[in-house]
Amino acid sequence: MNDDRPLTGQIRRHGPPPTLSEYEDCGGYAPVRTMLSHMTPEDVQQEVMNSNLRGRGGAGFPTGQKWSFVPMGADAPRPKYLVVNADEMEPGSFKDRLLLEGHPHRLIEGIIIAAYAIQAECAYVFVRWAYHPSVIALGRAIREARETGLLGHNLLGSGFSLTVHVHTSAGRYICGEETALLNALEGHPVIPRSKPPYPQVCGLWGKPTIVQNVETVCNLPHILAHGAKWFRNLGKGKDAGTKLYAVSGRVKQPGVWELPIGTSMREILEHHAGGMQEGYAFRAMQPGGGSTGFLTEDHLDLAMDFDSLSSVGSRLGTGTAIVLDDRTCPVGFVRNLEHFFAQESCGWCTPCRDGLPWVERLLADIDNGNGRPQDVEILERHVTLLGPGRTYCAHAPGAMEPLKSALRYFRSDFDRHIHDQRCPWKSQGTEA
Amino acid sequence: MSRDEKIRSMLTEEEKGMIDEELSHYPTTRAGGIEALKIVQRRRGWISDDLLLAVAHHVGMAPAELDRSATFYNLIFRRPIGRHVVLVCDSVSCWLMGADRLRDRLRHRLGVGAGETTADGRFTVLPNVCLGACDRAPAVMIDETLHGPLTEDELDRLLDSQMP
Ligand SMILES: Cc1cc2nc3c(=O)[nH]c(=O)nc-3n(C[C@H](O)[C@H](O)[C@H](O)COP(=O)(O)O)c2cc1C
Ligand code: SF4
Ligand code: FES
């Protein structure tokens, strides 16, 4: 195993994913074999709890703690389910695709581990429609695993059975929200469910269910192989493990890299993404996808980990950064984001359904040179009215994070649009 | 043949077999509804009212309920579409890398805007949210293949290569 890049070390960037036998030659599925013969589900839960692994889907919830709410033992409701969230539709996010296309066997191994830990007998991988190569790679890997007895009835004679199905979606961002995803899988109208009850107790078809991001699950094999302590030491600061970081925008080399969690934004931006393209200067970035708050030059030396970014009012999110350069209008940037959020609202609650289109409209007016002086204040009011605690899910609050921080860091740009009644960037001809 | 019989006979044995295989993955049939629609759409391009009824009947769902799913998902097509579907990413990373230029080129070259199909029935152009390929911005997906980063001229050549 490639020690400092356990998630991606075996991925060939321009070749097919490792086959089952190639994976086994590098130690693949050994952790599962050991687990099935020597560890109880409680042992696995404990190891993952000790590892400090936090969910990589955006919220950063500790994985071991999530599992601890699942009813265990002979009286627990059956069947239990594991759902892998491979919806990845947040603008700017493209990290799970690398794992799905590049190393499906690692995901399957992670699935076996997570399912065993909570004693789930059925797992669904919920993949977004656009990821065709991922679906093909996963299907092939599942077949191989089944033929070897790593999936199916009575895995390797352990008495534990597990079936894995791939469900492909057909669009819509809300399907990635974990309770909406459960409704989507069941074929019900895709809106989030109210919590409690939490999915761990009452999830898919009313049974105990955990929903976990692709990257989270792919971390499990090496946690079992090398132990919790080793995993904790991979991180640079308080958080444990490595993280897939990505950068898109006007940088020299957009891409995705596996680095110690807690690597600074400056290192990611300058060293891995190659810095800004000629003729473009850095202005700000969203550190973890379209629903995370902007950060500026002043924040570049911060560690990209959960606590450091929340301490400055942003979030690690998915760890996939989007860079705003000096030749792109920040109002246009936020307008594009809010168009996405307004379009993708599921419409279940009023603040989100009615507020987001209004936000989009105000931003369009400002961007088009028709902004009114009171518009900024109305936008600010939306930041509160659509904020945490007022909606059924985190969609609307997520939509407000970039708006809130934009009003803070780019306030003079908003004012200038409104005062001059035009977009200063459009006159330079750098934008359509 | 009555309308009912006609509708029942619309799905091919192959389609029914594939749908039944998908349905076997779930404890309830409605969970397989969306997979069933995709199987049919893949063969026929889009889901007409009659096809919707046929699938609902086969799956055992009320047509209105299946249609609610069908119209919720943006990639289930309930109206005729061209032989090739061109999804142009309109999310933020592609926008800032020049996605508007690709859209303008499509409009100019094919004479259609977002949501429209060319008169010869070859292409339907649809805006789409982030394709998960922001490192390849601006990105476009034609049918099931991702392309990017693309210049306007590269997009032109791609369209030329889509046969028929
Ligand atoms: C609107 C919305 C969309 C989401 N989309 C995704 C997604 O595509 N993939 C994902 O892993 N998590 C997504 N999440 C977060 C999930 O709800 C959930 O927290 C996550 O899958 C849990 O996995 P983790 O603990 O392994 O991170 C989304 C959340 C919201 C509110
Ligand atoms: S916040 Fe928006 S996306 Fe979430 S439940 Fe309410 S309407 Fe739906
Ligand atoms: S923004 Fe276009 S692929 Fe992500």
Side-chain angles (χ1 to χ4, degrees), chain A residues 89 92 94 97 124 128-130 132 165 167-172 185-186 189 205 248 250 328 332-333 336 431, chain B residues 25-28 30-31 35 38 68 72-75 90-93 95-96 129-130 132-135 141 144:
Chain A
M89 285 182 69
F94 51 98
R97 179 164 60 92
Y124 293 97
R128 70 174 293 188
W129 179 89
H132 304 285
H165 296 299
H167 176 101
T168 53
S169 187
R172 301 308 297 272
L185 262 178
E186 290 184 15
W205 293 291
S248 63
R250 293 275 176 197
T328 299
F333 191 113
N336 179 288
E431 257 188 281
Chain B
H25 297 171
Y26 307 94
T28 63
R30 65 180 311 128
E35 298 274 18
K38 278 189 299 181
R68 176 164 60 183
F72 166 79
Y73 290 105
N74 55 301
L75 294 166
D90 67 356
S91 287
V92 72
S93 304
W95 171 78
L96 64 89
V129 301
C130 176
C134 326
D135 51 341
M141 187 172 264
E144 298 189 348

Side-chain angles (χ1 to χ4, degrees), chain A residues 18 32 53 77 106 114 120 125 152 200 209 255 299 308 310 354 358 368-369:
Chain A
V32 153
L53 173 65
R106 172 164 289 272
V125 187
Q200 292 95 314
T209 303
H299 303 111
S308 310
S310 1
D354 289 358
W358 196 5
N368 293 335

